[in-house]
Amino acid sequence: MSYHKELAAAKKAASLAARLCQNVQKALLQSDVQSKTDKTPVTVADYGSQALVSFVLQQELRAEFSLVAEEDSKDLRKDGAQEIVERITKLVNYSLTSDGSYNVTLSTEDVLKAIDSGRSEGGSQGQHWVLDPIDGTKGFLRGDQYAIALALLDGGKVVLGVLACPNLPLTSLKDAGQHSPNNEVGCLFFAVVGGGTYMQPLDGSSAVKVQVSAVENPEEASFFESYEAAHSMHDLSSLIAQKLGVKAPPVRIDSQAKYGALSRGDGAIYLRFPHKGYREKIWDHAAGCIVVTEAGGVVTDAAGQPLDFSKGKHLDVDTGIIVTNQKLMPLLLNAVKESLKEKAPSS
């Protein structure tokens, strides 16, 4: 299958959602941030992004539709949420009008329904879209990196992925750091199984094919990890880096923007070791995973097993997730194994 139509729809949906998020981030007001029950900040942009992606996919594909996504409208249907719902609706309609492809105005109920179309459980049968409307909400709130991450599962396998990274510089992080000096930011990465990975500016100009870093000597490799220490065990990552002989300090970035940056060779390794008891969600890795693998990289758990997206909303991984190129993977797996063994008695 070529997935040509699906890719066009996914790119359009993610680009529109990115534009909505950029508008919100520019005018970030405290009133736009509320706490979900688990206390992670969620913004009008998360909901607006999910509503937009859901609406665009349904408009473009006109087919039976299954979406596994992070948000639902439960909190938005409570008393006192009317103002935030109206703000989300206004944002969604503004984004649709400014795009010009859809001559519609959505009601607040339309928007809530679009958000709720993300209630699918996924699984190994049929096709399911997988969405994180804003991956890296804390980065978003800080004005740093975040991503709109959209992937398509077919028969439990990721076959297509799109990552819109509104704040990621168009040039390598090695040159620009996380903030581009001349403000040339906004990347869209996309990949279809068997077709390679491409990157283009979010404004839609021409795409270029990208490849992961070809570094073979770990001493020359640099590695990415989560910005937040709460999201990944930095001490374990630094022990692994030490065993590998990595000289460069870690580059800490929020969100799946790390997968995008890695796919174009900005760094050679990404390590993610969540704290005990945390279960990975498929929307945090599906799009990033195919973007990296189609660019020639490898994504596995700490035991070297590929990630399995066919089990519903969660990924059952051994200890953590590691990403690198094919040459470095055996060395990295070895360093991970040794480091885990060393850490075991103290934990």
Side-chain angles (χ1 to χ4, degrees):
M1 238 182 116
S2 71
Y3 302 107
H4 183 73
K5 202 175 165 196
E6 289 83 354
L7 178 64
K11 285 171 68 178
K12 181 167 191 170
S15 302
L16 265 180
R19 208 173 306 156
L20 178 146
C21 294
Q22 284 169 309
N23 290 336
V24 175
Q25 198 181 42
K26 274 184 201 132
L28 195 62
L29 309 163
Q30 274 320 101
S31 65
D32 289 343
V33 183
Q34 43 167 202
S35 267
K36 276 197 290 197
T37 41
D38 63 359
K39 294 289 179 275
T40 54
V42 63
T43 66
V44 292
D46 291 76
Y47 291 119
S49 169
Q50 183 156 314
L52 260 185
V53 169
S54 165
F55 174 80
V56 172
L57 289 178
Q58 290 182 73
Q59 289 295 307
E60 296 294 316
L61 300 171
R62 299 279 176 191
E64 207 174 301
F65 176 80
S66 166
L67 177 68
V68 185
E70 186 165 16
E71 307 302 343
D72 63 47
S73 73
K74 200 168 66 238
D75 290 346
L76 297 175
R77 292 180 184 274
K78 289 178 179 164
D79 288 349
Q82 194 51 37
E83 195 181 318
I84 198 167
V85 175
E86 278 166 15
R87 184 147 160 65
I88 294 161
T89 306
K90 211 176 269 176
L91 274 165
V92 169
N93 282 320
Y94 176 76
S95 305
L96 291 172
T97 307
S98 60
D99 172 66
S101 337
Y102 308 106
N103 190 15
V104 289
T105 303
L106 302 185
S107 67
T108 53
E109 189 52 37
D110 293 334
V111 167
L112 293 173
K113 275 190 180 140
I115 291 167
D116 280 338
S117 69
R119 283 181 166 166
S120 168
E121 293 292 322
S124 60
Q125 304 295 310
Q127 290 192 350
H128 306 281
W129 289 94
V130 178
L131 170 70
D132 194 333
I134 291 187
D135 183 27
T137 306
K138 287 185 173 159
F140 177 80
L141 295 172
R142 273 201 313 276
D144 287 337
Q145 298 304 329
Y146 65 100
I148 294 90
L150 180 62
L152 178 62
L153 296 183
D154 196 344
K157 300 260 188 295
V158 186
V159 293
L160 177 162
V162 174
L163 281 180
C165 307
N167 288 340
L168 193 68
L170 288 165
T171 49
S172 170
L173 293 174
K174 286 184 285 207
D175 313 323
Q178 281 190 57
H179 298 278
S180 173
N182 40 7
N183 216 22
E184 288 180 339
V185 296
C187 304
L188 186 75
F189 297 90
F190 58 94
V192 172
V193 66
T197 297
Y198 292 82
M199 178 187 91
Q200 69 188 98
L202 263 176
D203 65 16
S205 44
S206 59
V208 294
K209 197 166 188 181
V210 293
Q211 285 291 143
V212 294
S213 161
V215 166
E216 292 180 35
N217 179 355
E219 286 188 18
E220 295 163 22
S222 61
F223 78 93
F224 295 133
E225 63 180 354
S226 300
Y227 184 93
E228 303 274 340
H231 293 172
S232 189
M233 294 188 273
H234 289 169
D235 56 339
L236 179 56
S237 298
S238 66
L239 181 61
I240 293 163
Q242 199 182 315
K243 286 197 182 298
L244 273 174
V246 172
K247 300 249 188 304
V251 180
R252 290 182 177 153
I253 312 180
D254 297 282
S255 86
Q256 285 174 74
K258 290 185 279 291
Y259 280 108
L262 205 80
S263 76
R264 67 181 186 191
D266 290 11
I269 298 167
Y270 164 33
L271 302 171
R272 179 177 166 98
F273 292 98
H275 297 276
K276 220 174 174 49
Y278 181 82
R279 282 183 82 195
E280 294 284 4
K281 320 279 193 318
I282 59 172
W283 53 71
D284 285 327
H285 300 282
C289 189
I290 191 168
V291 160
V292 164
T293 51
E294 284 297 322
V298 194
V299 183
T300 73
D301 68 11
Q305 294 302 309
L307 307 187
D308 181 354
F309 290 93
S310 71
K311 303 263 175 68
K313 289 184 175 180
H314 291 93
L315 283 172
D316 288 321
V317 296
D318 185 332
T319 318
I321 292 173
I322 57 180
V323 186
T324 187
N325 63 29
Q326 301 189 4
K327 294 266 169 55
L328 283 174
M329 191 48 113
L331 294 168
L332 178 57
L333 273 170
N334 213 21
V336 167
K337 209 176 288 173
E338 284 179 17
S339 304
L340 287 171
K341 210 179 281 173
E342 237 170 79
K343 295 290 284 181
S346 62
S347 62

